[in-house]
Amino acid sequence: MTADNATLQQLRDAIARFVDERLIPAEKQVEEQAEVPADIRQEMKDLGLFGLTIPETYGGLGLDTEGEVEIIFEIGRAAPAFRSAFGTTIGIGSQGIVIDGTEEQRQRYLPRMARGELIGSFALTEPEAGSDAASLRTRAERDGDSYVLNGTKRFITNAPLAGLFTVMARTNPGNAGAGGISAFLVERDTPGLSVGKVDKKMGQRGSLTADVVFENCRIPASALCGTKEGVGFKTAMKVLDRGRLQVAAACTGLATRLIDEAARYARERTQFGRPIAEFQTVQALLADSYAETYAARCMIRDAAKRRDAGEDVRVQAASCKYFASEALGRVADRAVQIHGGSGYMAEYPVEQLYRDARLFRLYEGTSQIQQIIIGRAVAQGNV
Ligand code: COS
């Protein structure tokens, strides 16, 4: 279900050109206007980016995890808002259907997602349920042939643009934990579903997030993702395993870019009569950034291969997301440091990218949650 090496290489080359010629030059505009312009979205569709991981049977490119991370390493070199434009549709907004959906659900939604006509979004987080996702309060009450949803979802990426939400809601109020949760596929125009105003953020401003509110939102019983109630938390966690690898790859792409920016600046900037790139203290900063980014790339490739081989990679995905996002934080900080005072000024890309980078240690599970996933498994002898 994946492209052969030559096709993947061709795609990667095309995307590298797209990043250099179209995305990087548009970064400032996206930041200032807080949206990815329509012509760039269209080019993303034409390149097949919205269908990268959607199986070929449903019109996508059918990349496996290994192929996906290679493409995301490349896209990740541009400001993260660009990946976000299609990232939920190929990731957390579609993979619930791919992994646990029924054939009918796949036929209904995946082809339109692959064409970029239907944006997928993932609605797990709530005002009172962030890291403790299993404590979510959104209710889905069965009523005849329907379920009625009530509750609020928070910080939902791409909510303002989405046509379909994978919504985790509690179907069994008697079970306050993970086993009481089911996943639903909820279409945007369903009465009772509303999207709040776009959140104002520290960075990644072209990536739109908002609340999604359900008020007596009636959906057909067939909107249950798959056929079984009570397995929605597991669906969400399986989706996040792949999602965390995508995020880790995005971190690694951005780290590569920041190293390039810092090294270029160091070659151009002269102090004490020489380019600062010749100073060993500057080289040491670059060396640490390179080594950490290389390590992240290697572990992501390994975890992606394992996932494709059918292994349970929850610990490896958490490790990749944890390491790559923390490493990116350090790489971004060093890139600003190498720029000196200029690194704090908006005319240099590192100022924006530093702010953009901060989010990666928070979403799709904070670093502390990844530590819990890894540490618990190691302590119990489960790795
Ligand atoms: N794949 C398959 N099943 C999984 C799984 C995975 N990756 N992770 C957990 N499960 C299963 C567990 O095996 C367990 O099943 P059983 O009840 O059959 O034993 C069930 O799901 C509950 O898991 P667990 O007991 O680990 O749940 P907890 O509530 O203790 O905690 C954490 C789970 C903290 C890891 C989870 O809530 C989490 O990831 N939180 C962060 C959420 C997040 O990333 N939010 C970001 C917003 S979404 S973009």
Side-chain angles (χ1 to χ4, degrees):
M1 213 176 64
T2 186
D4 59 55
N5 284 344
T7 314
L8 189 62
Q9 190 52 47
Q10 260 178 6
L11 182 62
R12 197 174 168 162
D13 291 347
I15 287 170
R17 279 196 302 280
F18 182 57
V19 166
D20 289 323
E21 292 167 14
R22 295 289 290 135
L23 302 190
I24 291 178
E27 282 175 342
K28 267 226 137 33
Q29 180 194 348
V30 167
E31 163 85 350
E32 280 162 14
Q33 297 177 358
E35 64 175 357
V36 174
D39 55 342
I40 290 186
R41 283 182 186 279
Q42 186 56 48
E43 287 170 60
M44 287 176 165
K45 289 180 193 175
D46 297 342
L47 274 166
L49 293 181
F50 284 85
L52 284 179
T53 61
I54 309 277
E56 283 170 296
T57 338
Y58 307 104
L61 294 177
L63 293 188
D64 57 11
T65 324
E66 208 184 344
E68 176 186 0
V69 298
E70 290 301 327
I71 298 302
I72 301 297
F73 286 145
E74 211 52 67
I75 279 282
R77 290 191 298 111
F82 293 112
R83 176 197 64 99
S84 190
F86 63 89
T88 58
T89 305
I90 63 161
I92 56 180
S94 66
Q95 294 303 303
I97 307 174
V98 172
I99 296 169
D100 281 338
T102 63
E103 186 49 36
E104 202 185 333
Q105 289 166 342
R106 292 182 187 139
Q107 304 265 9
R108 183 175 172 88
Y109 297 119
L110 296 179
R112 280 185 288 150
M113 284 183 165
R115 291 195 294 271
E117 292 165 10
L118 182 71
I119 304 292
S121 193
F122 181 79
L124 174 65
T125 301
E126 298 182 358
E128 305 300 330
S131 290
D132 185 6
S135 71
L136 63 81
R137 294 180 186 171
T138 296
R139 284 290 323 275
E141 266 174 277
R142 184 75 193 236
D143 181 27
D145 277 350
S146 322
Y147 287 93
V148 180
L149 291 177
N150 278 290
T152 298
K153 297 292 181 179
R154 181 136 296 169
F155 308 146
I156 304 305
T157 303
N158 279 330
L161 306 168
L164 185 72
F165 296 90
T166 303
V167 180
M168 270 48 71
R170 192 166 301 283
T171 38
N172 180 358
N175 183 340
I181 296 170
S182 304
F184 293 93
L185 305 173
V186 186
E187 297 180 8
R188 168 57 169 262
D189 54 9
T190 313
L193 184 162
S194 59
V195 174
K197 61 179 174 31
V198 174
D199 299 320
K200 288 191 176 157
K201 303 194 297 304
M202 174 192 287
Q204 302 207 13
R205 291 182 185 150
S207 164
L208 308 183
T209 65
D211 281 4
V212 181
V213 181
F214 302 96
E215 285 170 305
N216 294 323
C217 175
R218 187 174 288 274
I219 52 174
S222 60
L224 178 71
C225 180
T227 51
K228 270 197 348 220
E229 283 188 6
V231 295
F233 186 79
K234 287 186 185 175
T235 299
M237 291 298 122
K238 287 183 276 182
V239 164
L240 283 173
D241 285 344
R242 185 167 188 168
R244 286 169 182 161
L245 290 173
Q246 189 194 114
V247 167
C251 291
T252 306
L254 190 56
T256 310
R257 165 77 181 289
L258 283 157
I259 294 168
D260 289 348
E261 293 288 345
R264 181 170 46 241
Y265 183 85
R267 286 191 297 272
E268 287 165 5
R269 171 75 175 163
T270 298
Q271 285 292 277
F272 304 102
R274 306 194 256 163
I276 62 169
E278 291 181 15
F279 294 114
Q280 288 186 336
T281 50
V282 171
Q283 289 176 5
L285 293 170
L286 291 170
D288 286 354
S289 292
Y290 180 84
E292 289 187 273
T293 303
Y294 179 52
R297 195 179 298 114
C298 289
M299 66 196 279
I300 294 164
R301 283 180 173 146
D302 175 69
K305 270 201 190 98
R306 287 170 185 264
R307 185 182 181 278
D308 293 338
E311 280 184 43
D312 182 330
V313 293
R314 68 183 82 176
V315 174
Q316 290 74 19
S319 302
C320 290
K321 201 272 176 179
Y322 175 45
F323 183 79
S325 63
E326 291 286 335
L328 171 62
R330 294 187 290 270
V331 170
D333 191 69
R334 292 182 199 115
V336 170
Q337 194 67 18
I338 289 171
H339 280 70
S342 298
Y344 207 67
M345 302 298 150
E347 68 233 60
Y348 287 90
V350 295
E351 182 272 338
Q352 179 189 328
L353 300 178
Y354 177 84
R355 286 184 287 105
D356 287 349
R358 188 62 184 84
L359 182 55
F360 285 109
R361 287 155 59 198
L362 303 172
Y363 69 3
E364 296 206 20
T366 60
S367 292
Q368 289 66 35
I369 285 297
Q370 312 308 333
Q371 287 176 305
I372 285 170
I373 295 170
I374 303 159
R376 200 153 66 176
V378 175
Q380 291 169 353
N382 285 340
V383 278

